Amino acid sequence: MSDSSRDTAEGAGWGAAELGEYKRLMPHHVEKISWLDPRMLWAARNGVLASWLGDPTGGTRSRWVAQRAAAGAPADKVIRRDDPDRFSFLVVGDTGEGDDSQYAVVPGLLKTGQDTRFAVIASDVIYPVGSADDYATKFFRPYQDYQAPIYAIPGNHDWYEDLGAFMRVFCDDTPPPAPEPAPRRFSRAWLRSLLWHRPRETDGESLAQARQLRSAAAQRAVQPGPYWAIDAGPVRIVGIDTGLLGTIDAEQGRWLREVSKDPRPKILITGRPLYVDGEHRPCAIEGGGTVDEIVRDPAHRYVAAIGGDIHNYQRYPVKVAGRTVQYVVAGGGGAFMHATHTIPRVDVGDVTEKDFRCYPLRGDSLAFYSRLYGRRLRMRRFFTLTEAQAAAVVAERLGIPLTRAQGRTPRITWRIRLVAALLGAGRRPDRTARFRLPVRKIYTQLFSPGSATYSPPFFKCFLRLDVTPETVRLRCYAATGNRAQEVDPPVEDDITIPLN
Protein backbone atom coordinates (compact mmCIF):
# COMPACT_ATOMS: atom_id res chain seq x y z
CA MET A 1 0.00 0.00 0.00
CA SER A 2 1.35 3.43 -0.93
CA ASP A 3 2.02 6.18 1.60
CA SER A 4 -0.87 8.48 2.42
CA SER A 5 -0.70 12.13 3.42
CA ARG A 6 -0.68 10.95 7.04
CA ASP A 7 2.58 9.11 6.36
CA THR A 8 4.75 11.40 4.23
CA ALA A 9 4.70 14.68 2.31
CA GLU A 10 5.28 12.68 -0.87
CA GLY A 11 2.19 10.63 -0.06
CA ALA A 12 0.25 13.90 0.01
CA GLY A 13 1.49 14.68 -3.49
CA TRP A 14 4.06 17.33 -2.61
CA GLY A 15 7.45 17.55 -4.26
CA ALA A 16 8.68 16.71 -7.74
CA ALA A 17 6.54 13.92 -9.13
CA GLU A 18 5.41 12.48 -12.44
CA LEU A 19 2.12 13.87 -13.71
CA GLY A 20 -0.69 11.35 -13.86
CA GLU A 21 -2.29 9.87 -16.96
CA TYR A 22 -5.58 11.70 -16.39
CA LYS A 23 -4.70 14.36 -19.00
CA ARG A 24 -5.24 11.78 -21.73
CA LEU A 25 -8.88 11.46 -20.71
CA MET A 26 -9.65 15.15 -20.99
CA PRO A 27 -11.08 16.98 -24.01
CA HIS A 28 -8.75 19.29 -25.92
CA HIS A 29 -10.67 22.37 -24.84
CA VAL A 30 -11.56 22.72 -21.17
CA GLU A 31 -13.85 25.43 -19.88
CA LYS A 32 -12.19 26.98 -16.85
CA ILE A 33 -14.79 27.89 -14.27
CA SER A 34 -14.05 31.01 -12.25
CA TRP A 35 -16.36 32.24 -9.55
CA LEU A 36 -14.72 35.65 -9.96
CA ASP A 37 -16.39 35.96 -13.36
CA PRO A 38 -19.49 38.21 -13.04
CA ARG A 39 -21.18 36.28 -15.87
CA MET A 40 -20.79 33.06 -13.88
CA LEU A 41 -22.21 34.65 -10.75
CA TRP A 42 -25.17 36.04 -12.69
CA ALA A 43 -25.93 32.65 -14.25
CA ALA A 44 -25.89 31.09 -10.76
CA ARG A 45 -28.16 33.71 -9.24
CA ASN A 46 -31.11 31.44 -8.41
CA GLY A 47 -29.74 30.47 -5.01
CA VAL A 48 -29.59 34.12 -3.95
CA LEU A 49 -33.02 34.81 -5.40
CA ALA A 50 -34.48 31.83 -3.52
CA SER A 51 -33.03 33.03 -0.22
CA TRP A 52 -34.34 36.59 -0.75
CA LEU A 53 -37.67 36.04 -2.51
CA GLY A 54 -38.74 32.55 -1.45
CA ASP A 55 -37.57 29.10 -2.47
CA PRO A 56 -39.72 27.51 -5.21
CA THR A 57 -37.83 24.20 -5.39
CA GLY A 58 -40.31 22.30 -3.20
CA GLY A 59 -43.14 22.93 -5.63
CA THR A 60 -40.96 22.24 -8.66
CA ARG A 61 -39.70 19.01 -7.13
CA SER A 62 -43.24 17.91 -6.33
CA ARG A 63 -44.24 18.37 -9.97
CA TRP A 64 -41.21 16.37 -11.14
CA VAL A 65 -42.03 13.56 -8.71
CA ALA A 66 -45.72 13.50 -9.73
CA GLN A 67 -44.77 13.29 -13.38
CA ARG A 68 -42.37 10.40 -12.75
CA ALA A 69 -45.10 8.57 -10.79
CA ALA A 70 -47.53 9.04 -13.67
CA ALA A 71 -44.90 7.56 -16.00
CA GLY A 72 -44.70 4.39 -13.90
CA ALA A 73 -41.95 5.06 -11.38
CA PRO A 74 -42.47 3.03 -8.17
CA ALA A 75 -44.63 4.86 -5.66
CA ASP A 76 -42.20 4.16 -2.82
CA LYS A 77 -39.25 5.39 -4.95
CA VAL A 78 -37.22 2.30 -4.04
CA ILE A 79 -34.74 0.82 -6.54
CA ARG A 80 -34.62 -2.92 -5.87
CA ARG A 81 -31.35 -4.47 -7.01
CA ASP A 82 -30.11 -8.06 -7.01
CA ASP A 83 -26.79 -7.44 -5.27
CA PRO A 84 -25.42 -10.27 -3.11
CA ASP A 85 -24.94 -10.03 0.64
CA ARG A 86 -21.31 -9.07 0.02
CA PHE A 87 -20.74 -6.30 -2.50
CA SER A 88 -19.05 -2.90 -2.93
CA PHE A 89 -20.06 0.50 -4.26
CA LEU A 90 -18.52 3.95 -4.73
CA VAL A 91 -19.54 7.39 -3.52
CA VAL A 92 -18.09 10.49 -5.15
CA GLY A 93 -19.34 14.00 -4.47
CA ASP A 94 -19.39 17.36 -6.25
CA THR A 95 -17.84 16.09 -9.44
CA GLY A 96 -18.73 18.23 -12.37
CA GLU A 97 -16.24 21.03 -13.05
CA GLY A 98 -14.95 19.20 -16.10
CA ASP A 99 -11.35 20.29 -15.58
CA ASP A 100 -8.14 18.80 -14.15
CA SER A 101 -9.58 18.55 -10.65
CA GLN A 102 -12.38 16.26 -11.88
CA TYR A 103 -10.42 14.15 -14.35
CA ALA A 104 -7.58 13.63 -11.86
CA VAL A 105 -9.99 11.52 -9.77
CA VAL A 106 -10.95 9.20 -12.63
CA PRO A 107 -7.92 6.84 -12.97
CA GLY A 108 -7.87 5.94 -9.28
CA LEU A 109 -11.64 5.65 -9.17
CA LEU A 110 -11.66 3.25 -12.13
CA LYS A 111 -8.89 1.13 -10.67
CA THR A 112 -10.30 0.98 -7.15
CA GLY A 113 -13.88 0.61 -8.34
CA GLN A 114 -13.50 -1.95 -11.11
CA ASP A 115 -15.29 -4.65 -9.08
CA THR A 116 -17.96 -2.38 -7.56
CA ARG A 117 -21.62 -2.91 -8.36
CA PHE A 118 -22.61 0.75 -8.76
CA ALA A 119 -21.65 4.31 -7.87
CA VAL A 120 -23.49 7.26 -6.35
CA ILE A 121 -22.75 10.92 -7.07
CA ALA A 122 -23.55 12.93 -3.96
CA SER A 123 -24.43 16.52 -4.95
CA ASP A 124 -23.50 18.88 -7.80
CA VAL A 125 -23.19 16.56 -10.76
CA ILE A 126 -22.65 19.53 -13.09
CA TYR A 127 -21.16 22.99 -12.56
CA PRO A 128 -21.88 25.85 -12.87
CA VAL A 129 -25.67 25.64 -13.42
CA GLY A 130 -26.46 22.01 -14.29
CA SER A 131 -26.87 22.57 -18.05
CA ALA A 132 -27.62 19.59 -20.27
CA ASP A 133 -24.93 20.67 -22.73
CA ASP A 134 -22.31 20.21 -19.99
CA TYR A 135 -23.08 16.53 -19.38
CA ALA A 136 -20.92 15.36 -22.30
CA THR A 137 -17.60 16.50 -20.84
CA LYS A 138 -18.54 16.55 -17.15
CA PHE A 139 -20.37 13.24 -16.77
CA PHE A 140 -20.48 10.92 -19.78
CA ARG A 141 -16.86 11.38 -20.89
CA PRO A 142 -15.04 11.09 -17.53
CA TYR A 143 -17.03 8.01 -16.44
CA GLN A 144 -17.39 6.30 -19.82
CA ASP A 145 -15.13 3.41 -18.71
CA TYR A 146 -16.93 2.78 -15.41
CA GLN A 147 -18.85 -0.37 -16.32
CA ALA A 148 -21.65 -0.15 -13.76
CA PRO A 149 -24.69 2.06 -13.11
CA ILE A 150 -24.28 5.54 -11.63
CA TYR A 151 -27.07 6.98 -9.50
CA ALA A 152 -27.12 10.57 -8.29
CA ILE A 153 -28.74 13.07 -5.99
CA PRO A 154 -28.76 16.70 -7.10
CA GLY A 155 -26.90 19.55 -5.47
CA ASN A 156 -27.74 23.22 -5.48
CA HIS A 157 -25.88 23.74 -8.78
CA ASP A 158 -28.02 21.10 -10.48
CA TRP A 159 -31.05 23.10 -9.35
CA TYR A 160 -29.90 26.38 -10.95
CA GLU A 161 -31.83 25.38 -14.10
CA ASP A 162 -34.76 23.82 -12.20
CA LEU A 163 -33.28 20.32 -12.40
CA GLY A 164 -34.28 19.81 -16.03
CA ALA A 165 -31.00 18.32 -17.26
CA PHE A 166 -30.59 16.12 -14.17
CA MET A 167 -34.04 14.61 -14.68
CA ARG A 168 -33.39 13.96 -18.37
CA VAL A 169 -30.12 12.14 -17.67
CA PHE A 170 -30.95 10.15 -14.52
CA CYS A 171 -34.73 9.74 -14.74
CA ASP A 172 -35.35 8.24 -18.17
CA ASP A 173 -35.37 11.44 -20.22
CA THR A 174 -38.21 12.96 -18.25
CA PRO A 175 -39.69 16.03 -20.04
CA PRO A 176 -40.29 19.24 -18.07
CA PRO A 177 -43.50 19.28 -16.03
CA ALA A 178 -46.17 21.93 -16.43
CA PRO A 179 -45.04 25.29 -15.00
CA GLU A 180 -46.47 26.62 -11.77
CA PRO A 181 -49.40 29.06 -12.06
CA ALA A 182 -48.44 32.65 -12.88
CA PRO A 183 -47.80 34.56 -9.63
CA ARG A 184 -49.73 37.67 -8.65
CA ARG A 185 -48.22 40.80 -10.20
CA PHE A 186 -45.79 42.77 -8.06
CA SER A 187 -45.53 39.95 -5.49
CA ARG A 188 -42.20 38.52 -4.36
CA ALA A 189 -42.84 35.41 -6.45
CA TRP A 190 -43.56 37.60 -9.49
CA LEU A 191 -40.30 39.49 -9.03
CA ARG A 192 -38.46 36.22 -8.58
CA SER A 193 -39.94 34.81 -11.78
CA LEU A 194 -38.77 37.86 -13.73
CA LEU A 195 -35.18 37.43 -12.56
CA TRP A 196 -35.05 33.61 -12.49
CA HIS A 197 -32.33 31.91 -14.57
CA ARG A 198 -33.70 29.32 -17.00
CA PRO A 199 -32.00 27.02 -19.52
CA ARG A 200 -31.46 28.05 -23.11
CA GLU A 201 -34.05 26.78 -25.57
CA THR A 202 -31.31 24.87 -27.41
CA ASP A 203 -29.81 23.33 -24.26
CA GLY A 204 -29.33 19.58 -24.61
CA GLU A 205 -29.32 19.26 -28.39
CA SER A 206 -26.14 17.16 -28.17
CA LEU A 207 -27.32 15.04 -25.24
CA ALA A 208 -28.30 12.03 -27.34
CA GLN A 209 -24.80 11.87 -28.82
CA ALA A 210 -23.21 12.26 -25.39
CA ARG A 211 -25.21 9.32 -24.03
CA GLN A 212 -23.39 6.99 -26.42
CA LEU A 213 -20.32 7.25 -24.16
CA ARG A 214 -22.21 5.34 -21.45
CA SER A 215 -24.64 3.27 -23.50
CA ALA A 216 -23.81 -0.30 -22.44
CA ALA A 217 -26.61 -2.23 -20.76
CA ALA A 218 -24.46 -2.72 -17.64
CA GLN A 219 -24.11 1.06 -17.27
CA ARG A 220 -27.81 1.85 -17.44
CA ALA A 221 -29.43 3.34 -14.34
CA VAL A 222 -32.91 4.79 -14.16
CA GLN A 223 -33.98 6.27 -10.85
CA PRO A 224 -37.51 7.19 -9.78
CA GLY A 225 -36.76 10.86 -9.13
CA PRO A 226 -34.34 13.28 -7.48
CA TYR A 227 -34.67 11.36 -4.20
CA TRP A 228 -34.79 7.60 -3.88
CA ALA A 229 -33.80 4.52 -1.90
CA ILE A 230 -31.73 1.57 -3.10
CA ASP A 231 -32.17 -1.90 -1.58
CA ALA A 232 -28.77 -3.49 -2.15
CA GLY A 233 -27.79 -6.73 -0.44
CA PRO A 234 -28.32 -6.38 3.32
CA VAL A 235 -28.55 -2.55 3.38
CA ARG A 236 -30.87 0.23 2.24
CA ILE A 237 -29.19 3.35 0.83
CA VAL A 238 -31.38 6.45 1.07
CA GLY A 239 -30.66 9.47 -1.12
CA ILE A 240 -32.33 12.83 -0.39
CA ASP A 241 -32.50 16.03 -2.45
CA THR A 242 -31.72 19.14 -0.40
CA GLY A 243 -32.46 21.56 -3.25
CA LEU A 244 -31.11 25.09 -3.49
CA LEU A 245 -30.96 26.02 0.19
CA GLY A 246 -30.15 22.79 2.01
CA THR A 247 -33.62 21.86 3.24
CA ILE A 248 -36.26 19.32 2.18
CA ASP A 249 -39.95 19.89 1.51
CA ALA A 250 -42.79 18.35 3.52
CA GLU A 251 -43.65 15.76 0.86
CA GLN A 252 -40.08 14.46 0.75
CA GLY A 253 -39.97 14.56 4.55
CA ARG A 254 -43.00 12.27 4.77
CA TRP A 255 -41.41 9.90 2.29
CA LEU A 256 -38.13 9.89 4.24
CA ARG A 257 -39.89 9.01 7.48
CA GLU A 258 -41.76 6.19 5.77
CA VAL A 259 -38.82 4.72 3.86
CA SER A 260 -36.71 4.83 7.04
CA LYS A 261 -39.06 2.38 8.78
CA ASP A 262 -37.68 -0.53 6.76
CA PRO A 263 -35.83 -2.87 9.16
CA ARG A 264 -32.58 -3.01 7.15
CA PRO A 265 -29.48 -1.06 8.26
CA LYS A 266 -29.30 2.21 6.32
CA ILE A 267 -26.83 4.67 4.85
CA LEU A 268 -28.03 8.20 4.08
CA ILE A 269 -26.66 10.09 1.05
CA THR A 270 -27.50 13.79 1.18
CA GLY A 271 -26.74 16.91 -0.82
CA ARG A 272 -25.69 18.75 2.35
CA PRO A 273 -23.71 17.15 5.21
CA LEU A 274 -25.23 17.01 8.69
CA TYR A 275 -21.90 17.55 10.47
CA VAL A 276 -19.33 19.74 8.76
CA ASP A 277 -16.55 22.19 9.64
CA GLY A 278 -16.96 21.45 13.33
CA GLU A 279 -20.68 22.28 13.30
CA HIS A 280 -23.94 20.35 13.48
CA ARG A 281 -26.35 21.20 10.64
CA PRO A 282 -29.37 18.90 11.11
CA CYS A 283 -31.22 19.89 7.87
CA ALA A 284 -34.70 21.27 8.42
CA ILE A 285 -37.81 19.61 7.02
CA GLU A 286 -40.62 21.89 5.91
CA GLY A 287 -43.44 21.66 8.44
CA GLY A 288 -41.22 20.61 11.33
CA GLY A 289 -38.47 18.24 12.35
CA THR A 290 -35.06 17.61 10.85
CA VAL A 291 -33.35 14.97 8.79
CA ASP A 292 -30.93 14.25 11.62
CA GLU A 293 -33.79 13.42 13.99
CA ILE A 294 -34.74 10.65 11.57
CA VAL A 295 -31.14 9.47 11.32
CA ARG A 296 -30.74 9.42 15.10
CA ASP A 297 -33.88 7.38 15.77
CA PRO A 298 -32.55 3.92 16.77
CA ALA A 299 -35.56 2.24 15.16
CA HIS A 300 -34.42 3.47 11.74
CA ARG A 301 -30.97 1.83 12.01
CA TYR A 302 -28.90 4.43 10.20
CA VAL A 303 -25.20 3.65 10.51
CA ALA A 304 -23.79 6.49 8.35
CA ALA A 305 -24.84 9.80 6.79
CA ILE A 306 -22.70 10.91 3.82
CA GLY A 307 -23.08 14.41 2.40
CA GLY A 308 -21.62 16.37 -0.48
CA ASP A 309 -21.52 20.16 -1.11
CA ILE A 310 -18.30 20.83 0.84
CA HIS A 311 -15.32 19.96 -1.34
CA ASN A 312 -13.15 17.90 0.99
CA TYR A 313 -13.41 14.86 3.28
CA GLN A 314 -14.43 14.94 6.93
CA ARG A 315 -15.67 12.27 9.33
CA TYR A 316 -17.41 12.66 12.70
CA PRO A 317 -18.17 9.46 14.69
CA VAL A 318 -21.14 10.62 16.79
CA LYS A 319 -22.44 8.50 19.66
CA VAL A 320 -26.23 8.24 19.41
CA ALA A 321 -28.32 6.22 21.88
CA GLY A 322 -25.55 3.74 22.69
CA ARG A 323 -24.32 3.32 19.11
CA THR A 324 -22.07 5.29 16.76
CA VAL A 325 -23.26 6.95 13.57
CA GLN A 326 -20.54 7.96 11.12
CA TYR A 327 -21.25 11.42 9.70
CA VAL A 328 -19.13 11.94 6.61
CA VAL A 329 -18.41 14.83 4.25
CA ALA A 330 -17.50 13.46 0.81
CA GLY A 331 -17.51 16.36 -1.65
CA GLY A 332 -13.97 16.03 -2.97
CA GLY A 333 -14.82 14.38 -6.29
CA GLY A 334 -13.92 17.06 -8.78
CA ALA A 335 -14.62 20.68 -7.85
CA PHE A 336 -12.25 23.22 -6.30
CA MET A 337 -10.97 22.36 -2.84
CA HIS A 338 -12.67 23.84 0.19
CA ALA A 339 -10.14 24.50 2.91
CA THR A 340 -9.80 22.24 5.93
CA HIS A 341 -7.33 24.47 7.79
CA THR A 342 -10.22 26.80 8.67
CA ILE A 343 -11.92 24.03 10.68
CA PRO A 344 -11.53 24.91 14.38
CA ARG A 345 -10.45 22.45 17.01
CA VAL A 346 -13.30 19.94 16.90
CA ASP A 347 -15.64 19.59 19.86
CA VAL A 348 -19.16 18.85 18.60
CA GLY A 349 -21.64 16.06 19.29
CA ASP A 350 -19.19 14.47 21.76
CA VAL A 351 -16.68 14.22 18.90
CA THR A 352 -13.28 15.59 19.84
CA GLU A 353 -10.21 16.37 17.81
CA LYS A 354 -8.87 12.90 18.60
CA ASP A 355 -11.84 11.25 16.86
CA PHE A 356 -12.11 13.64 13.91
CA ARG A 357 -10.62 12.90 10.47
CA CYS A 358 -10.21 15.12 7.45
CA TYR A 359 -8.52 15.18 4.06
CA PRO A 360 -6.58 17.15 3.08
CA LEU A 361 -4.82 17.51 6.41
CA ARG A 362 -5.12 21.02 7.76
CA GLY A 363 -1.43 21.75 7.22
CA ASP A 364 -1.60 20.63 3.58
CA SER A 365 -4.68 22.80 3.10
CA LEU A 366 -2.92 25.86 4.51
CA ALA A 367 0.17 25.23 2.37
CA PHE A 368 -2.06 24.85 -0.72
CA TYR A 369 -3.84 28.14 -0.09
CA SER A 370 -0.65 29.99 0.79
CA ARG A 371 0.76 29.08 -2.63
CA LEU A 372 -2.48 30.09 -4.30
CA TYR A 373 -2.57 33.50 -2.64
CA GLY A 374 1.11 34.08 -3.12
CA ARG A 375 0.70 33.49 -6.83
CA ARG A 376 -2.52 35.47 -7.25
CA LEU A 377 -1.34 38.47 -5.23
CA ARG A 378 2.21 38.26 -6.63
CA MET A 379 3.54 38.04 -3.08
CA ARG A 380 5.03 34.56 -3.17
CA ARG A 381 7.90 35.29 -0.80
CA PHE A 382 5.51 36.56 1.84
CA PHE A 383 2.52 34.21 1.52
CA THR A 384 4.03 30.88 0.51
CA LEU A 385 4.48 28.37 3.32
CA THR A 386 6.11 24.98 2.98
CA GLU A 387 3.98 22.02 3.95
CA ALA A 388 6.17 21.57 7.06
CA GLN A 389 5.74 25.21 8.12
CA ALA A 390 1.99 25.08 7.53
CA ALA A 391 1.60 21.85 9.50
CA ALA A 392 3.60 23.26 12.40
CA VAL A 393 1.67 26.53 12.68
CA VAL A 394 -1.70 24.76 12.46
CA ALA A 395 -0.63 22.38 15.23
CA GLU A 396 0.41 25.37 17.34
CA ARG A 397 -2.78 27.34 16.75
CA LEU A 398 -5.06 24.38 17.50
CA GLY A 399 -2.98 22.88 20.27
CA ILE A 400 -2.78 19.48 18.56
CA PRO A 401 0.14 17.18 17.73
CA LEU A 402 1.51 17.02 14.20
CA THR A 403 -0.44 14.52 12.14
CA ARG A 404 2.55 13.13 10.26
CA ALA A 405 6.12 12.81 11.45
CA GLN A 406 8.58 15.42 10.19
CA GLY A 407 12.33 15.13 10.17
CA ARG A 408 12.66 18.47 11.90
CA THR A 409 9.92 20.82 13.03
CA PRO A 410 10.56 24.26 11.52
CA ARG A 411 10.79 27.37 13.65
CA ILE A 412 7.50 29.27 13.55
CA THR A 413 8.20 32.93 12.79
CA TRP A 414 5.95 36.00 12.98
CA ARG A 415 5.48 35.81 9.19
CA ILE A 416 4.25 32.23 9.35
CA ARG A 417 1.82 33.08 12.15
CA LEU A 418 0.57 36.16 10.28
CA VAL A 419 -0.02 34.23 7.04
CA ALA A 420 -1.88 31.52 8.96
CA ALA A 421 -4.07 34.17 10.63
CA LEU A 422 -4.77 35.99 7.34
CA LEU A 423 -5.77 32.73 5.66
CA GLY A 424 -8.18 31.80 8.43
CA ALA A 425 -6.33 28.92 10.07
CA GLY A 426 -8.39 27.50 12.92
CA ARG A 427 -7.81 28.66 16.48
CA ARG A 428 -8.38 26.92 19.79
CA PRO A 429 -11.73 27.91 21.32
CA ASP A 430 -10.06 28.71 24.67
CA ARG A 431 -7.80 31.33 23.09
CA THR A 432 -8.73 34.82 21.99
CA ALA A 433 -7.27 36.11 18.74
CA ARG A 434 -5.38 39.41 18.92
CA PHE A 435 -7.44 40.61 15.98
CA ARG A 436 -10.37 39.12 14.14
CA LEU A 437 -10.86 39.08 10.38
CA PRO A 438 -13.93 37.66 8.57
CA VAL A 439 -11.76 35.31 6.54
CA ARG A 440 -12.78 31.84 7.64
CA LYS A 441 -14.74 31.12 4.46
CA ILE A 442 -14.71 34.39 2.51
CA TYR A 443 -11.25 34.02 1.03
CA THR A 444 -12.07 30.63 -0.49
CA GLN A 445 -14.72 32.41 -2.54
CA LEU A 446 -12.50 35.41 -3.28
CA PHE A 447 -9.95 33.24 -5.07
CA SER A 448 -11.55 30.01 -6.21
CA PRO A 449 -8.77 27.40 -6.37
CA GLY A 450 -10.63 25.70 -9.19
CA SER A 451 -9.93 28.70 -11.38
CA ALA A 452 -6.30 29.00 -10.39
CA THR A 453 -4.86 25.53 -9.82
CA TYR A 454 -4.20 23.20 -12.72
CA SER A 455 -1.24 21.25 -11.39
CA PRO A 456 -0.97 18.65 -8.60
CA PRO A 457 -1.58 18.13 -5.81
CA PHE A 458 -5.36 18.61 -6.11
CA PHE A 459 -6.32 16.84 -2.85
CA LYS A 460 -9.39 15.15 -4.36
CA CYS A 461 -11.01 12.01 -3.00
CA PHE A 462 -13.72 9.37 -3.37
CA LEU A 463 -15.19 6.64 -1.16
CA ARG A 464 -15.40 2.89 -1.52
CA LEU A 465 -17.85 1.03 0.72
CA ASP A 466 -17.57 -2.75 1.11
CA VAL A 467 -20.76 -4.27 2.49
CA THR A 468 -21.17 -7.60 4.27
CA PRO A 469 -24.11 -8.86 6.38
CA GLU A 470 -22.19 -7.81 9.50
CA THR A 471 -20.27 -4.63 8.55
CA VAL A 472 -19.66 -1.80 6.12
CA ARG A 473 -16.04 -0.90 5.54
CA LEU A 474 -15.69 2.73 4.43
CA ARG A 475 -12.43 3.90 2.86
CA CYS A 476 -11.52 7.35 1.62
CA TYR A 477 -9.09 7.23 -1.32
CA ALA A 478 -6.99 10.20 -2.37
CA ALA A 479 -6.46 11.55 -5.87
CA THR A 480 -3.69 14.13 -6.19
CA GLY A 481 -3.10 14.21 -9.95
CA ASN A 482 0.33 12.60 -9.55
CA ARG A 483 1.01 9.29 -11.23
CA ALA A 484 2.12 7.63 -7.99
CA GLN A 485 -1.33 8.13 -6.47
CA GLU A 486 -3.03 6.98 -9.69
CA VAL A 487 -1.13 3.70 -9.81
CA ASP A 488 -1.79 2.97 -6.14
CA PRO A 489 -4.43 5.31 -4.67
CA PRO A 490 -3.59 5.94 -1.01
CA VAL A 491 -6.15 5.33 1.71
CA GLU A 492 -6.67 8.47 3.78
CA ASP A 493 -9.26 7.02 6.14
CA ASP A 494 -10.47 3.48 6.86
CA ILE A 495 -13.30 2.65 9.23
CA THR A 496 -15.33 -0.53 9.73
CA ILE A 497 -18.95 0.13 10.73
CA PRO A 498 -20.97 -2.64 12.44
CA LEU A 499 -24.47 -3.24 11.07
CA ASN A 500 -26.00 -4.98 14.08
Side-chain angles (χ1 to χ4, degrees):
M1 182 181 295
S2 63
D3 285 347
S4 73
S5 69
R6 292 180 170 270
D7 300 315
T8 63
E10 292 74 18
W14 296 114
E18 183 182 357
L19 187 67
E21 299 286 329
Y22 72 88
K23 283 280 191 183
R24 298 182 182 181
L25 306 174
M26 297 178 65
H28 293 298
H29 173 71
V30 175
E31 176 194 17
K32 296 185 178 181
I33 294 176
S34 173
W35 297 106
L36 296 177
D37 186 341
R39 295 170 300 177
M40 197 76 69
L41 295 173
W42 177 244
R45 63 188 178 272
N46 286 1
V48 176
L49 292 175
S51 64
W52 289 352
L53 300 173
D55 184 3
T57 56
T60 305
R61 183 190 295 116
S62 182
R63 293 195 300 278
W64 281 120
V65 169
Q67 183 167 289
R68 286 291 294 135
D76 60 4
K77 303 172 186 60
V78 176
I79 303 165
R80 292 174 172 85
R81 295 176 49 86
D82 60 352
D83 300 301
D85 283 348
R86 298 175 184 271
F87 75 98
S88 303
F89 69 101
L90 300 174
V91 176
V92 56
D94 298 82
T95 54
E97 281 202 355
D99 57 13
D100 294 59
S101 61
Q102 178 179 10
Y103 280 84
V105 177
V106 174
L109 182 146
L110 292 176
K111 181 171 183 177
T112 305
Q114 60 186 338
D115 63 337
T116 54
R117 303 277 296 192
F118 59 88
V120 177
I121 296 179
S123 184
D124 290 340
V125 182
I126 300 294
Y127 292 96
V129 293
S131 298
D133 284 341
D134 286 335
Y135 269 83
T137 57
K138 299 178 181 181
F139 176 73
F140 290 107
R141 183 180 182 124
Y143 310 120
Q144 61 184 311
D145 293 326
Y146 180 66
Q147 299 300 317
I150 299 176
Y151 305 97
I153 55 169
N156 58 311
H157 287 266
D158 301 302
W159 267 103
Y160 286 159
E161 290 192 346
D162 290 336
L163 212 62
F166 180 97
M167 296 296 290
R168 290 179 65 181
V169 170
F170 293 102
C171 300
D172 208 17
D173 220 8
T174 302
E180 62 182 343
R184 180 172 52 84
R185 286 174 62 84
F186 306 113
S187 64
R188 295 172 70 206
W190 175 81
L191 178 59
R192 184 187 65 218
S193 69
L194 291 180
L195 298 173
W196 200 251
H197 171 80
R198 294 177 176 84
R200 303 182 307 275
E201 290 185 4
T202 59
D203 188 45
E205 289 183 343
S206 61
L207 195 55
Q209 181 180 356
R211 289 181 192 274
Q212 298 305 309
L213 296 172
R214 279 187 53 83
S215 59
Q219 295 173 312
R220 181 169 171 76
V222 176
Q223 57 192 58
Y227 56 91
W228 40 259
I230 299 174
D231 285 349
V235 299
R236 170 168 282 189
I237 303 160
V238 180
I240 60 172
D241 169 18
T242 54
L244 278 172
L245 302 182
T247 61
I248 68 174
D249 60 277
E251 179 182 339
Q252 185 180 180
R254 288 191 292 272
W255 169 85
L256 178 60
R257 291 185 175 96
E258 188 62 32
V259 82
S260 296
K261 293 177 182 177
D262 185 272
R264 275 171 278 232
K266 297 173 193 69
I267 298 168
L268 181 72
I269 310 289
T270 168
R272 297 285 180 95
L274 303 180
Y275 279 83
V276 60
D277 294 345
E279 299 175 356
H280 182 210
R281 302 177 186 177
C283 186
I285 299 174
E286 180 186 18
T290 68
V291 169
D292 199 34
E293 288 174 358
I294 297 172
V295 170
R296 287 170 173 266
D297 188 333
H300 295 156
R301 300 190 67 192
Y302 280 93
V303 298
I306 303 171
D309 187 59
I310 302 300
H311 307 163
N312 53 46
Y313 174 81
Q314 301 172 43
R315 180 171 62 83
Y316 301 81
V318 179
K319 292 181 176 58
V320 178
R323 60 199 177 94
T324 299
V325 177
Q326 300 291 339
Y327 290 86
V328 175
V329 179
F336 72 86
M337 186 193 86
H338 277 128
T340 58
H341 67 266
T342 58
I343 302 172
R345 184 181 173 115
V346 171
D347 186 7
V348 60
D350 293 327
V351 178
T352 65
E353 188 65 36
K354 177 175 63 70
D355 309 310
F356 171 70
R357 292 290 182 273
C358 70
Y359 175 79
L361 299 178
R362 289 184 178 98
D364 290 332
S365 171
L366 179 58
F368 177 96
Y369 271 90
S370 75
R371 285 162 168 77
L372 171 64
Y373 266 70
R375 184 167 59 250
R376 275 299 184 88
L377 296 176
R378 298 184 180 180
M379 300 175 64
R380 298 190 186 200
R381 291 187 62 185
F382 173 74
F383 266 102
T384 302
L385 305 180
T386 68
E387 58 272 20
Q389 290 170 336
V393 72
V394 166
E396 178 190 75
R397 289 174 67 84
L398 293 181
I400 60 177
L402 289 169
T403 305
R404 65 172 173 251
Q406 298 179 173
R408 186 180 66 177
T409 302
R411 184 172 66 90
I412 303 175
T413 65
W414 69 269
R415 179 188 72 87
I416 295 172
R417 292 189 176 97
L418 179 58
V419 169
L422 290 173
L423 295 184
R427 194 166 188 85
R428 289 180 62 172
D430 59 342
R431 295 183 181 179
T432 302
R434 295 179 183 177
F435 57 92
R436 296 182 182 274
L437 293 173
V439 294
R440 183 167 183 258
K441 289 284 180 67
I442 293 174
Y443 74 90
T444 65
Q445 303 301 322
L446 179 62
F447 285 152
S448 161
S451 66
T453 307
Y454 288 90
S455 59
F458 296 116
F459 297 111
K460 301 289 94 187
C461 60
F462 61 92
L463 307 183
R464 175 182 168 119
L465 291 90
D466 302 306
V467 179
T468 74
E470 297 81 27
T471 62
V472 173
R473 183 184 182 187
L474 184 153
R475 281 175 284 182
C476 172
Y477 285 89
T480 67
N482 287 325
R483 180 162 171 74
Q485 281 84 35
E486 282 186 357
V487 172
D488 188 8
V491 177
E492 292 292 337
D493 193 21
D494 188 343
I495 182 72
T496 297
I497 307 168
L499 293 183
N500 48 24

